[in-house]
């Protein structure tokens, strides 16, 4: 079990608790967190689950692997940073208890 705090671009935040086997995207969608649309359902096809891992957590979460980064960089409207991740590709476990994630003001195509 891990608590994750999602911070919106306006500074408001929600903290959610995951169940075993969830991704960062599933936790957000299941709790109706704004800004994680996940239109492809986690198939790494849409980038509407893009988020920024808090800089204090990026070493533990890990930067985006090459294929994920290339996908993000190929989509218009995504401001890719070193801490950019597709939330559908981040598996949650107890080691990420307390994780903080920032949600972009806009998602591509929305
Ligand atoms: S849900 Fe579509 S890329 Fe993550």
């Amino acid at each position: 079990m891990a608590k994750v705090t999602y911070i919106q671009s306006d500074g408001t935040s929600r903290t959610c608790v995951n169940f075993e086997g969830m991704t960062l995207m599933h936790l957000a969608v299941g709790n109706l967190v704004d800004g994680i649309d996940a239109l492809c359902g986690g198939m790494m096809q849409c980038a509407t689950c893009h988020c920024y891992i808090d800089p204090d957590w990026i070493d533990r979460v890990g930067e985006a692997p090459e294929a994920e980064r290339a996908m993000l960089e190929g989509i218009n409207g995504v401001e890719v940073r070193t801490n950019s991740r597709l939330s559908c590709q981040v598996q949650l476990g107890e080691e990420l208890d307390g994780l903080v994630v920032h949600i972009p003001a806009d998602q591509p195509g929305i």
Side-chain angles (χ1 to χ4, degrees), residues 25 38-49 71 86 88:
M25 175 276 276
L39 296 180
C40 77
M43 301 300 289
M44 216 171 105
Q45 299 289 312
C46 70
T48 61
C49 67
M71 191 273 192
L86 292 172
C88 67

Side-chain angles (χ1 to χ4, degrees), residues 74-93:
I75 293 187
N76 286 337
V78 174
E79 182 189 337
V80 182
R81 303 177 190 164
T82 55
N83 57 341
S84 285
R85 290 299 310 262
L86 292 172
S87 59
C88 67
Q89 302 301 305
V90 177
Q91 196 69 43
L92 292 172

Side-chain angles (χ1 to χ4, degrees), residues 17-54:
V17 179
N18 81 312
F19 295 100
E20 193 76 22
M22 296 181 89
T23 65
L24 194 50
M25 175 276 276
H26 285 127
L27 182 62
V29 170
N31 284 279
L32 305 177
V33 172
D34 286 339
I36 300 293
D37 300 296
L39 296 180
C40 77
M43 301 300 289
M44 216 171 105
Q45 299 289 312
C46 70
T48 61
C49 67
H50 175 226
C51 66
Y52 300 111
I53 304 299
D54 190 271

